[in-house]
C-alpha cells in the first residue's frame, strides 16, 4: 500500500540551486533527470487523464486532480506532465477503482498498471494503517504517487522527518490522518526529477521553501527630476510556512544613464529620459526558492525630467585670487550653481581678453567636470574668444593692463539657463605689479608728477 510506513526521506541532491540557470530553464525542454524516491513516470508534456470507475470516485476525483495540475503548472514549466479527469474510459491514461461510497479510505497506486485502488477502512490492508482519511483527502494524497513519488513501505513518505514538509500531502503524520496541502516540496522534487531544476545539497524535506515576498507585486510609473531620489519597498521573502526571511534582490536598469536603483530599492534619477528597472530575487541561505519565485521579476518605469530651467542659474563665479590680479600665472574660475541643480549639467565658458593679446588660442576639446588638463591650440585670429566646457576652467593671465570678461552658461540637454558674467581687472608687469599697480615713489613724496600709465579700472593710478 502507498499509505504505509513513512520513509527516511530522499538522499541529498548534489547540485546547488542557481537562480539564473533556473530562470533560463523555464524555457528548456523537459528531460528526465534524477531525484531520490521520485520516478519520472510520465512523458514530458503528456496530459495524463484519470478516469473514476464509479460515480462516487468520479464525483470526488476532479478537485484533487485539478489542485495538483494547478500546483504543477504554477511552477512555470510548460513541459511537465499535466493532469485532468475524463468521463470516458477509452481516453483514460490511468484509472481510479475500488469503492462506491464510505467515510474513511486508504489507497494503493500501482505504477505498473497505472491504476489507483481505493479501499474502504474496513479492508484488512487499510485497517492496519492509521493513515486514512475522507475521500478527497485520500485522493489528494494518492495524487502525489500518481505524480511520481514512490509508494510502498519506507519509500516516498516523509512524515517521520521533523520539519516544514510535515504538512505536505505526501507526508503521513505519526498520529494518523492525511495532510491535504500540496506543498513546494511535493512539486519541486518532481520538477528536479524531470530535469528542470537542481536543488541545494541540504536536507530537502526539512529546509523551508520561499514562495514569494511581501512587497508590492507591481509598481506605478515613477517620475523624478534629475538629481533626485525615491525609495521603493521591495519586501522580504515569504516562506511557505512561518515568518519572513531576508533575501537579496537583483536590480537591472535598461538605461543606467537615465536612472539606477540600489539593491535596497533607492531609485536615483540621473538624466532625462525613460528607463525600466527590473527587480528579481537572488536568494539567500537557510531556504530554497521555488521555481516560480526564482524566475519571477517585477519592474518599474522611471521617467526622468531635466531640472526646470528656472533652477539652471549660475549664481556666481568662484575665483582663486583677490582682485585686481597683480601677478602673471594660471588662475582658476569655478561656476557656482544652486543646490540640487548639478545633475546632468554641462557649462559653456567664454573668456574675452580686452587687449586681444596672446595666448590667442581656443580651448579644445570639450572638458569634463573636474578635468584639469589644458590642451590649447594656437590661432592668429584677432578678437578670439576662449571657449571651454566644464564646471571649472583655468586660464593664463599674461603681463599687461587689461580686463578678462568671464561668461558662464549652464546647459542641460542642449538648453542654456541663465548665465553669470563677471569682469576681472588685470594689473601686471614684468616686475610683478610696478607702474601698472601704483604710483612711483617720487610722486608719493610730492616730487614731479610721474608719467600717466594706461591702466584699467581697479588698478591704482
Amino acid at each position: 500500500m502507498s499509505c504505509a510506513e513513512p520513509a527516511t526521506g530522499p538522499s541529498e541532491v548534489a547540485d546547488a540551486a542557481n537562480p539564473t540557470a533556473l530562470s533560463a530553464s523555464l524555457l528548456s525542454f523537459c528531460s528526465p533527470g534524477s531525484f531520490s524516491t521520485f520516478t519520472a513516470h510520465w512523458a514530458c508534456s503528456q496530459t495524463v487523464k484519470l478516469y473514476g470507475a464509479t460515480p462516487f470516485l468520479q464525483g470526488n476525483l476532479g478537485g484533487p486532480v485539478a489542485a495538483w495540475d494547478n500546483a504543477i503548472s504554477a511552477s512555470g514549466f510548460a513541459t511537465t506532465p499535466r493532469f485532468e479527469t475524463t468521463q470516458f474510459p477509452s481516453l483514460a491514461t490511468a484509472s481510479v477503482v475500488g469503492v462506491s461510497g464510505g467515510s474513511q479510505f486508504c489507497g494503493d497506486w500501482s505504477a505498473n498498471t497505472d491504476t489507483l485502488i481505493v479501499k474502504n477502512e474496513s479492508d484488512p490492508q487499510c485497517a492496519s494503517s492509521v493513515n486514512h482519511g475522507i475521500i478527497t483527502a485520500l485522493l489528494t494524497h494518492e495524487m502525489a504517487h500518481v505524480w511520481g513519488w514512490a509508494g510502498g513501505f519506507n519509500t516516498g513518505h516523509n512524515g517521520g522527518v521533523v520539519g516544514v514538509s510535515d504538512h505536505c500531502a505526501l507526508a503521513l503524520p505519526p498520529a494518523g490522518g492525511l495532510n491535504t496541502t500540496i506543498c513546494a516540496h511535493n512539486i519541486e522534487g518532481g520538477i528536479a526529477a524531470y530535469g528542470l531544476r537542481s536543488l541545494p545539497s541540504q536536507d530537502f524535506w526539512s529546509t523551508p521553501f520561499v514562495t514569494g515576498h511581501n512587497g508590492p507585486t507591481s509598481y506605478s510609473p515613477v517620475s523624478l527630476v534629475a538629481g533626485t531620489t525615491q525609495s521603493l519597498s521591495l519586501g522580504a521573502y515569504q516562506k511557505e510556512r512561518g515568518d519572513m526571511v531576508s533575501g537579496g534582490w537583483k536590480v537591472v536598469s535598461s538605461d543606467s544613464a537615465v536612472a539606477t536603483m540600489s539593491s535596497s530599492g533607492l531609485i536615483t534619477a540621473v538624466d532625462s529620459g525613460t528607463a525600466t528597472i527590473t527587480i528579481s530575487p537572488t536568494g539567500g541561505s537557510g531556504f530554497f526558492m521555488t521555481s516560480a519565485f526564482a524566475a519571477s521579476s517585477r519592474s518599474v518605469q522611471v521617467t526622468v525630467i531635466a531640472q526646470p530651467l528656472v533652477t539652471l542659474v549660475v549664481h556666481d563665479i568662484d575665483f582663486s585670487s583677490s582682485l585686481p590680479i597683480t601677478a602673471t600665472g594660471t588662475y582658476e574660475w569655478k561656476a557656482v550653481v544652486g543646490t540640487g541643480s548639478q545633475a546632468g549639467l554641462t557649462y559653456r565658458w567664454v573668456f574675452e581678453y580686452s587687449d586681444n593679446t596672446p595666448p590667442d588660442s581656443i580651448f579644445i576639446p570639450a572638458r569634463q567636470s573636474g578635468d584639469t588638463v589644458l590642451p590649447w591650440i594656437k590661432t592668429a585670429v584677432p578678437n578670439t574668444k576662449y571657449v571651454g566646457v566644464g564646471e571649472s576652467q583655468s586660464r593664463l593671465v599674461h603681463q599687461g593692463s587689461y580686463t578678462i570678461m568671464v561668461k558662464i552658461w549652464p546647459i542641460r540637454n542642449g538648453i542654456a539657463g541663465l548665465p553669470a558674467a563677471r569682469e576681472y581687472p588685470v594689473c601686471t608687469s614684468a616686475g610683478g605689479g610696478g607702474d601698472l599697480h601704483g604710483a612711483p615713489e617720487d610722486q608719493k613724496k610730492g616730487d614731479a608728477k610721474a608719467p600717466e600709465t594706461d591702466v584699467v579700472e581697479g588698478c591704482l593710478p
Side-chain angles (χ1 to χ4, degrees):
M1 290 179 61
S2 56
C3 295
E5 296 296 325
T8 57
S11 59
E12 293 185 344
V13 191
D15 296 330
N18 183 331
T20 303
L22 179 58
S23 178
S25 75
L26 291 178
L27 304 177
S28 302
F29 291 105
C30 173
S31 175
S34 176
F35 193 80
S36 180
T37 77
F38 189 101
T39 300
H41 179 63
W42 309 106
C44 298
S45 301
Q46 179 181 4
T47 298
V48 180
K49 298 178 182 289
L50 287 96
Y51 170 72
T54 68
F56 175 74
L57 292 172
Q58 187 70 23
N60 287 284
L61 186 59
V65 171
W68 273 91
D69 186 66
N70 290 336
I72 295 168
S73 176
S75 67
F77 295 99
T79 53
T80 56
R82 300 297 300 272
F83 295 88
E84 62 182 48
T85 58
T86 179
Q87 296 182 8
F88 306 101
S90 60
L91 300 179
T93 312
S95 298
V96 183
V97 302
V99 295
S100 297
S103 59
Q104 293 285 312
F105 308 90
C106 64
D108 187 6
W109 165 252
S110 171
N112 293 328
T113 62
D114 293 335
T115 303
L116 170 61
I117 303 173
V118 178
K119 301 174 182 180
N120 193 282
E121 62 178 334
S122 62
D123 184 281
Q125 288 182 302
C126 189
S128 64
S129 172
V130 295
N131 297 110
H132 48 73
I134 63 174
I135 188 63
T136 50
L138 181 277
L139 293 173
T140 300
H141 169 83
E142 292 299 331
M143 276 298 300
H145 299 302
V146 177
W147 164 229
W149 290 106
F153 183 76
N154 255 2
T155 59
H157 301 92
N158 58 298
V161 178
V162 177
V164 296
S165 62
D166 58 7
H167 68 299
C168 294
L170 186 63
L172 295 176
L178 294 174
N179 291 309
T180 58
T181 301
I182 304 170
C183 70
H185 289 84
N186 294 154
I187 302 302
E188 299 298 324
I191 290 172
Y194 277 95
L196 295 174
R197 73 161 297 167
S198 58
L199 291 172
S201 55
Q202 304 176 53
D203 184 76
F204 176 73
W205 294 112
S206 60
T207 301
F209 267 97
V210 165
T211 59
H213 58 83
N214 67 346
T217 56
S218 62
Y219 298 99
S220 299
V222 172
S223 181
L224 296 174
V225 174
T228 62
T229 61
Q230 179 173 322
S231 191
L232 291 186
S233 173
L234 302 185
Y237 286 9
Q238 175 68 64
K239 290 195 296 187
E240 184 176 50
R241 294 179 80 194
D243 55 4
M244 312 301 296
V245 294
S246 178
W249 298 103
K250 177 183 178 181
V251 293
V252 178
S253 175
S254 64
D255 192 342
S256 57
V258 172
T260 61
M261 179 191 284
S262 70
S263 59
S264 62
L266 183 65
I267 299 175
T268 298
V270 180
D271 203 352
S272 59
T274 299
T276 298
I277 297 177
T278 303
I279 307 150
S280 55
T282 58
S285 60
F287 57 83
F288 302 153
M289 294 193 295
T290 62
S291 307
F293 180 60
S296 66
S297 66
R298 298 166 283 169
S299 64
V300 57
Q301 186 180 74
V302 181
T303 299
V304 179
I305 59 176
Q307 289 274 357
L309 286 181
V310 68
T311 67
L312 287 182
V313 179
V314 175
H315 296 282
D316 201 358
I317 302 174
D318 186 15
F319 182 56
S320 60
S321 178
S322 59
L323 295 178
I325 303 171
T326 60
T328 60
T330 299
Y331 291 82
E332 182 183 64
W333 288 261
K334 185 176 181 179
V336 179
V337 296
T339 302
S341 60
Q342 290 279 2
L345 276 183
T346 59
Y347 302 86
R348 181 170 180 83
W349 296 71
V350 171
F351 290 77
E352 296 178 281
Y353 289 62
S354 65
D355 62 351
N356 297 317
T357 54
D360 280 344
S361 55
I362 188 166
F363 179 82
I364 62 164
R367 189 195 306 195
Q368 301 300 311
S369 177
D371 188 0
T372 57
V373 178
L374 294 173
W376 297 82
I377 59 171
K378 297 291 184 180
T379 175
V381 179
N383 301 317
T384 296
K385 296 179 180 182
Y386 315 122
V387 180
V389 176
E391 183 183 1
S392 62
Q393 291 285 295
S394 295
R395 290 293 183 275
L396 178 66
V397 172
H398 53 269
Q399 179 182 342
S401 177
Y402 56 95
T403 60
I404 302 175
M405 174 61 76
V406 180
K407 301 176 183 178
I408 316 170
W409 286 263
I411 307 224
R412 183 183 284 118
N413 300 325
I415 301 176
L418 299 178
R422 303 286 186 273
E423 191 172 59
Y424 298 84
V426 177
C427 312
T428 61
S429 70
D435 59 349
L436 292 178
H437 187 248
E441 289 298 318
D442 56 354
Q443 184 179 348
K444 292 180 181 179
K445 296 175 182 179
D447 297 335
K449 184 179 179 180
E452 292 187 0
T453 305
D454 183 19
V455 297
V456 299
E457 182 179 356
C459 298
L460 296 175

